[in-house]
Amino acid sequence: MQTIAKLDPLRSTVTALRTDGRIALVPTMGALHEGHLTLVREARKHAAHVVVSIFVNPRQFSANEDLDAYPRQLEQDCALLEKEGVSLVWAPTGAAMYPQGYATNISVSGVSEGLCGGDRPGHFDGVATVVCKLFHQVLPDLAFFGEKDWQQLAVIRRMARDLDLTRPFADAIVGVQTVREPDGLAMSSRNAYLSSQERAQAATLPRAMKAAIGEIEAGKDIAASLGTLEQSLITGGFASVDYAELRDADTLAPLQTLDSQPARLLVAARIGKARLIDNMRVCGKNH
Ligand code: PAF
């Protein structure tokens, strides 16, 4: 496994790897956990070589989010990736990614707005911009993202369609199912911020979401079910709920009724020092 920090060697190495077959990209910001490794394992099933990018992208942090405190553990991450059979780690320096005078921003309207985009202004512009650059740098045949960040996945899919970024494979952007702890809590680096009591309470989130989905699928009023969900989170130990919404799974348009379209329940809620997000599929009449 090679670790590369500059663009020219990256390009020549990827060109050489491509002679063996398809290249899969797994973009990350490092501090890897089981969720990331699941993406890598999935990517390996579909490509001759897996490239993992590790870059803590300053453009997706807003002024009040602590970029400097974000965990950086390149050596430890590389050791994990080597064991997973990754061919190449692309770990660009800040200057390699955003050289002096860098001035371009990618903004995907619609899907970026509301939900986490409402709470974190500019966040999805930063994500879209860096992912677009990563696609151009690595030229992957496939790219793997966790479904845990459903809105991010929707933004990246929209951008890839709009900017013709995907290569000739229908499923060039692959969403991988969220990996969960035995009690149902979605795996996240943010779970580490929880005390043991908060960690136990956090399992209310997937439980309450499943209960709301059961009600919505059974035809109960959507607003009432979402209200019950929010109440269960507060009773279960969450300090506040940023949002709990039913949305169209692709466009993320808000849904007042559950018709035939694929729908998604998306929630962000705060407990202790953590803001946890989760999302689950909700089946319409034909799903
Ligand atoms: O999901 C992440 O880790 C980041 O948002 C991504 C996609 C690597 C872009 O920086």
Side-chain angles (χ1 to χ4, degrees), residues 26-30 32 36 39 53-58 60-61 70 98 120 123-124 126-131 134 144-146 149 152-153 156 189:
V26 180
T28 80
M29 297 208 299
L32 303 180
H36 298 107
L39 297 182
S53 64
I54 298 183
F55 180 66
V56 182
N57 175 32
Q60 69 188 76
F61 287 76
Y70 198 86
Y98 300 118
R120 305 176 73 188
H123 169 71
F124 287 117
V127 171
T129 302
V130 81
V131 171
L134 288 167
F144 289 74
F145 297 88
D149 294 299
Q152 168 171 285
L153 186 56
I156 291 165
S189 4

Side-chain angles (χ1 to χ4, degrees), residues 38-61:
T38 304
L39 297 182
V40 170
R41 287 172 202 143
E42 205 50 41
R44 282 203 66 197
K45 291 184 200 157
H46 295 87
H49 291 289
V50 176
V51 176
V52 174
S53 64
I54 298 183
F55 180 66
V56 182
N57 175 32
R59 295 178 76 93
Q60 69 188 76
F61 287 76

Side-chain angles (χ1 to χ4, degrees), residues 59-111:
R59 295 178 76 93
Q60 69 188 76
F61 287 76
S62 53
N64 60 354
E65 291 172 333
D66 198 352
L67 170 65
D68 294 333
Y70 198 86
R72 288 159 174 88
Q73 45 182 62
L74 185 60
E75 244 177 68
Q76 203 176 313
D77 289 344
C78 286
L80 286 173
L81 294 174
E82 178 131 50
K83 282 200 208 121
E84 295 293 335
V86 166
S87 304
L88 170 57
V89 174
W90 168 224
T93 58
M97 187 59 89
Y98 300 118
Q100 186 81 37
Y102 182 89
T104 301
N105 183 52
I106 295 185
S107 189
V108 184
S109 60
V111 281

Side-chain angles (χ1 to χ4, degrees), residues 33 148 179-181 183-196 198-200 202-203 205 238 271 273-277:
H33 54 68
K148 161 120 190 316
V179 185
R180 296 183 180 277
E181 302 286 356
D183 63 3
L185 184 68
M187 278 193 190
S188 163
S189 4
R190 296 205 172 95
N191 298 349
Y193 301 149
L194 301 171
S195 68
S196 57
E198 290 159 356
R199 170 60 192 83
L205 177 57
F238 279 78
I271 181 165
K273 290 196 200 105
R275 177 181 180 276
L276 302 183
I277 58 169

Side-chain angles (χ1 to χ4, degrees), residues 22-27 42-43 46-47 131 135 139-145 153 156-161 164-176:
R22 298 206 285 182
I23 305 278
L25 171 67
V26 180
E42 205 50 41
H46 295 87
V131 171
F135 282 7
L139 298 175
D141 299 288
L142 302 143
F144 289 74
F145 297 88
L153 186 56
I156 291 165
R157 284 200 164 121
R158 183 73 263 162
M159 172 186 70
R161 270 184 241 136
D164 307 315
L165 291 186
T166 50
R167 292 171 65 83
F169 298 99
D171 292 323
I173 310 270
V174 184
V176 178

Side-chain angles (χ1 to χ4, degrees), residues 2-11 13-14 88-92:
Q2 294 187 61
T3 302
I4 294 179
K6 297 251 170 73
L7 197 49
D8 285 344
L10 170 79
R11 289 208 159 119
T13 307
V14 170
L88 170 57
V89 174
W90 168 224

